[in-house]
Amino acid sequence: MKKLLYLLCAVGLFSCNESKVKQTEIIKNDLRAPAYPLVTIDPYTSAWSMTNNLYDEQVKHWTGKEFPLIGVIRVDGEVYRFMGVEKPPMRTIAGMSMAKAWNGKYTFNKPATDWEKPSFTDTQWKEGPAAFGTKDEVNVNTPWETKDIWVRRTIEINEDLSGKKLYLEYSHDDNFELYINGIEVVNTGYAWNKNVVIPIPEEVAKTITQGTTVIAAHGHNQTGGALVDFGLYAEDEIETFLTATAAQKSADVQATHTRYVFDCGSVELNLSFLAPLLMDDLNLVSRPVNYISYDVTSLDGKAHDVEMYFEAAPNWALDFPVQANKGEGYEKDNLIFLKSGSVEQNILGKSGDDIRIDWGYFYLCGEKGNTTSSVGDAYKMRAEFVKNGTLSGDISSKDNANLALAQSLGKTKSASGKVLIGYDDIYSIQYFGENLKPYWNKKGDKTIEQAFVEANNEFAKLSEACSTFDYQLMTEAAAVGGKEYAELCALAYRQAIAAHKVVEAPNGDLLFLSKENNSNGSIGTVDVTYPSAPLFLYYNPELAKALLNHIFYYSESGKWAKPFPAHDIGTYPLGNGQTYGGDMPVEEGGNMLTLTAAIAAVEGNAKYAEKHWEVLTIWTDYLVEKGLDPENQLCTDDFAGHFAHNVNLSAKAIMGIASYGYLADKLGKKDVAEKYTNKAKEMAEQWMKMADDGDHYRLTFDQPGTWSQKYNIIWNKIMDLNIFPASVAKKEIAFYLTKQNEYGLPLDSRKNYTKSDWIIWTATLADDQETFQKFISPLYKFMNETTDRVPMSDWYNTDSKTHVGFKARSVVGGYYMKMLENKLKK
């Protein structure tokens, strides 16, 4: 395995000349990530680079919305942009409804032909304010509850736009077609997106002249929410300063670091993004501060004048960039704090999936001394830095302002530095009516400034500790699963953790609440917890318990009265009760029981289960009654729809019952253990007969000729439950190897798509590493080659380089199943 040595300063990166330099070994990750994690604090403060080179595109939130973060190095007066892009500002011609209210003509009845053309007469159509959609969508002012809507917007243009770069912005849910002056510009197919900005093709832009322009759209809602909104913009003519880029030499994703190396004229720049997510320290996991550090080294042996520049836009603290906001700065405890936030500050005021936080404050922070700062117009700040290598120091409060820090390294052959980036959300979660502060400030007795001071003081120690952890993770994962497996685990680590928020419940329970990213935005979803759990079981079972505590409380408090667990406790960040439209009785019952048993297996005792024995018994008895041949219902793969007689879901029920027997045995309840263990074995024997299809087991009991991944029986193997004979897994594995496509094993016989977490669970059923790697290599190939540049998708096509849906989800914590097996077998 190729190994590189990175030089890290042991006592803070501002004083390398006085420090003892320490060498930390790094096993380089050769995977070309679909997206590179940069800042990973929680589901809201989550920033990624979605291109090969850090300077090819704007830094983005996991949802794809821009979180502009620009990095520039100035070497002997020459500037090189190494992060982000410099985009000319957009001037509104006819804005989206969030920016400026607009009315359009609309109809729910299919119109006559040529409805999209400017000459069409729409006098019989209704008129209403945008946006058009269902009430669960943002800024909807005209309800659209039917399957289809046709909308026309007439724009009067009073200026000459010839030669200007024009852009369309639109939001839609689901299918969407849009025409400008009768020419089709957008045709999405089945998809849903918000605030997409695209350049208008030149041939279409030529039709947008002084006078009347008509934008017409058709929306078709297949299921769920509905939305139509659009606007027209022109690129402002303004001088730009950051056209020259550095030359990126490498990118390397580790568990806690993402590292880049650049050539910048006469110097080399090593840039590192550090999220110190060491799971044995919950205060550290919850502290909302990440680091961007750098090391500059002369390439020609000569000293060079070097200055660094970092700039952030207010988008980091806004749901939509058009929201009113203020930026300001101040000095405290030898640090310069630059902060930005919305004017409204409606704390915990909204919930949903494609939502970014717009309460609390974003911070960009650096040490005083060699740091200058500014708050204001981005182009003026850039111009000043390019000219002088410093900033004005004007950090007074301003509307709609960017934040910038510049650090002068002087004339040097080698120097280092860092900035800190973070977020104070004030309140993180609403939990059954009570607003909860983040775990790092659970008592309300700390300030965000104190958190930054602690983070700044601990940087050198944490940098070394995290590098050691990264090396150990890669070493351990490679030993049990091979190089490709280890590299996938490294990429999954921060994604899985940062899709959660750590808080403490009013009753003292630790809560590690997931956001169901890019799905429905649910909070604390049990069937998202289930696949993600191996990572947390491996590194800290207290966090595994924190994934379950809210569901136990929901049932034990009487707020949820059904004989099986809830699906969720709300829509993130509001955890006031289940909001998902349907129950998953067998799925969630099996999940909760199995994970409780897995905690006992890791800890070596069942004390946690004992606390919840009454409700565990209720759930188990439900599975005994309903689990063998499940009725028409959803499982965790709910995107595939409802169906009955699900063989894999039945296996989950059997594993849940067996888990209860396992727990009873650990608690000394021998009669109970024998009763339920025997019941699980009896059901497994029936399962084998009912599902048998010759050389494999079926997808559903009633459909011969079908098949599915039986990932749920992995617990039988790794916990030595001995409910299913080993021959079941062996038969399935042999069959699966005949069904693989170029990019992996399909989920089942219905479609060519798959779930990456389940592939790794299924692969772990194999008895040898060689067979395990036969399943991992196609998955690795997909992640390395996919053309969909998004934070790792767990739902993708096995016969193409595209994903179906889902990104940035915590379920990739399931990649650690192979490592968990190794831990439990020791």
Side-chain angles (χ1 to χ4, degrees), residues 155-174:
I155 302 166
E156 293 299 327
I157 296 175
N158 300 313
E159 60 177 301
D160 183 7
L161 295 176
S162 58
K164 302 216 184 266
K165 292 182 179 178
L166 303 181
Y167 293 84
L168 172 74
E169 183 177 12
Y170 62 90
S171 295
H172 71 101
D173 189 350
D174 298 307

Side-chain angles (χ1 to χ4, degrees), residues 138-196:
V138 175
N139 207 51
V140 165
N141 293 301
T142 297
W144 162 31
E145 304 288 351
T146 61
K147 280 292 182 185
D148 293 272
I149 190 171
W150 290 261
V151 179
R152 287 170 54 89
R153 181 179 186 181
T154 300
I155 302 166
E156 293 299 327
I157 296 175
N158 300 313
E159 60 177 301
D160 183 7
L161 295 176
S162 58
K164 302 216 184 266
K165 292 182 179 178
L166 303 181
Y167 293 84
L168 172 74
E169 183 177 12
Y170 62 90
S171 295
H172 71 101
D173 189 350
D174 298 307
N175 301 60
F176 184 66
E177 305 146 36
L178 182 141
Y179 303 81
I180 298 178
N181 291 330
I183 306 172
E184 185 177 89
V185 177
V186 177
N187 193 329
T188 66
Y190 181 46
W192 48 96
N193 298 284
K194 290 188 175 70
N195 301 94
V196 178

Side-chain angles (χ1 to χ4, degrees), residues 124-137:
Q124 299 302 309
W125 290 24
K126 297 177 182 178
E127 184 172 343
F132 305 84
T134 49
K135 62 182 179 180
D136 55 331
E137 297 286 357

Side-chain angles (χ1 to χ4, degrees), residues 407-478:
Q407 295 180 337
S408 176
L409 305 180
K411 199 171 186 69
T412 182
K413 294 182 181 180
S414 178
S416 302
K418 70 178 183 300
V419 296
L420 293 81
I421 196 166
Y423 206 97
D424 182 11
D425 59 7
I426 305 175
Y427 285 95
S428 299
I429 299 292
Q430 188 173 95
Y431 187 67
F432 295 102
E434 185 165 343
N435 291 351
L436 304 182
K437 289 185 175 294
Y439 187 85
W440 67 270
N441 191 27
K442 59 186 176 182
K443 295 180 181 177
D445 57 355
K446 293 184 70 174
T447 65
I448 190 65
E449 290 86 0
Q450 287 173 309
F452 271 92
V453 169
E454 288 176 3
N456 187 56
N457 292 340
E458 294 172 6
F459 171 71
K461 177 184 71 175
L462 290 175
S463 181
E464 183 179 335
C466 287
S467 293
T468 300
F469 175 81
D470 293 345
Y471 176 79
Q472 291 173 341
L473 187 153
M474 289 285 273
T475 303
E476 292 168 8

Side-chain angles (χ1 to χ4, degrees), residues 91 125 205 255 289 319 498 536 580 617 656 736 752 757 819:
R91 184 165 50 85
W125 290 24
V289 182
D319 189 12
F536 308 109
Y580 189 67
T617 303
Y736 298 152
N752 277 324
D757 42 337
M819 294 177 71

Side-chain angles (χ1 to χ4, degrees), residues 158-382:
N158 300 313
E159 60 177 301
D160 183 7
L161 295 176
S162 58
K164 302 216 184 266
K165 292 182 179 178
L166 303 181
Y167 293 84
L168 172 74
E169 183 177 12
Y170 62 90
S171 295
H172 71 101
D173 189 350
D174 298 307
N175 301 60
F176 184 66
E177 305 146 36
L178 182 141
Y179 303 81
I180 298 178
N181 291 330
I183 306 172
E184 185 177 89
V185 177
V186 177
N187 193 329
T188 66
Y190 181 46
W192 48 96
N193 298 284
K194 290 188 175 70
N195 301 94
V196 178
V197 178
I198 60 169
I200 294 174
E202 186 177 351
E203 66 272 18
V204 180
K206 287 178 180 177
T207 71
I208 304 174
T209 58
Q210 285 182 288
T212 300
T213 281
V214 174
I215 304 180
H218 169 221
H220 174 72
N221 182 31
Q222 288 195 198
T223 185
L227 180 64
V228 164
D229 196 2
F230 47 84
L232 181 65
Y233 302 82
E235 188 173 277
D236 255 352
E237 293 179 1
I238 191 168
E239 183 180 5
T240 56
F241 305 93
L242 310 178
T243 54
T245 64
Q248 184 174 306
K249 295 167 66 177
S250 66
D252 176 18
V253 178
Q254 300 290 322
T256 64
H257 289 88
T258 298
R259 293 186 172 95
Y260 292 91
V261 179
F262 305 91
D263 275 350
C264 310
S266 302
V267 304
E268 181 181 83
L269 170 65
N270 285 267
L271 187 74
S272 177
F273 296 85
L274 170 61
L277 297 172
L278 301 177
M279 282 190 274
D280 58 350
D281 185 339
L282 296 180
N283 284 304
L284 191 59
V285 171
S286 69
R287 188 164 71 194
V289 182
N290 280 192
Y291 306 90
I292 307 175
S293 64
Y294 56 87
D295 179 83
V296 178
T297 306
S298 173
L299 290 171
D300 58 11
K302 299 176 183 179
H304 298 278
D305 284 312
V306 179
E307 297 91 16
M308 299 289 292
Y309 175 87
F310 296 92
E311 177 200 306
N315 304 45
W316 286 74
L318 304 173
D319 189 12
F320 296 99
V322 296
Q323 291 177 265
N325 62 87
K326 282 188 178 294
E328 63 179 320
Y330 55 93
E331 297 180 4
K332 189 173 183 179
D333 297 321
N334 204 42
L335 296 175
I336 297 174
F337 291 89
L338 305 181
K339 65 182 286 192
S340 181
S342 69
V343 171
E344 186 181 17
Q345 288 297 310
N346 185 14
I347 295 174
L348 294 170
K350 59 178 62 172
S351 62
D353 185 23
D354 191 0
I355 297 290
R356 288 141 301 280
I357 194 169
D358 58 7
W359 65 89
Y361 298 92
F362 168 80
Y363 286 83
L364 184 64
C365 181
E367 285 185 346
K368 290 175 63 178
N370 68 338
T371 302
T372 56
S373 58
S374 189
V375 173
D377 178 82
Y379 298 91
K380 291 179 180 178
M381 295 189 298
R382 294 169 197 168

Side-chain angles (χ1 to χ4, degrees), residues 46-64:
S46 174
W48 300 72
S49 172
M50 301 185 186
T51 51
N52 287 348
N53 296 314
L54 186 56
Y55 47 73
D56 282 346
E57 194 178 69
Q58 205 73 275
V59 171
K60 294 181 178 181
H61 186 258
W62 69 258
T63 56

Side-chain angles (χ1 to χ4, degrees), residues 98-129:
M98 282 289 294
K100 188 174 181 180
W102 65 271
N103 278 16
K105 292 293 191 72
Y106 69 96
T107 181
F108 301 127
N109 301 314
K110 186 174 181 178
T113 57
D114 297 335
W115 64 272
E116 74 280 7
K117 295 182 178 178
S119 58
F120 182 79
T121 301
D122 58 19
T123 53
Q124 299 302 309
W125 290 24
K126 297 177 182 178
E127 184 172 343

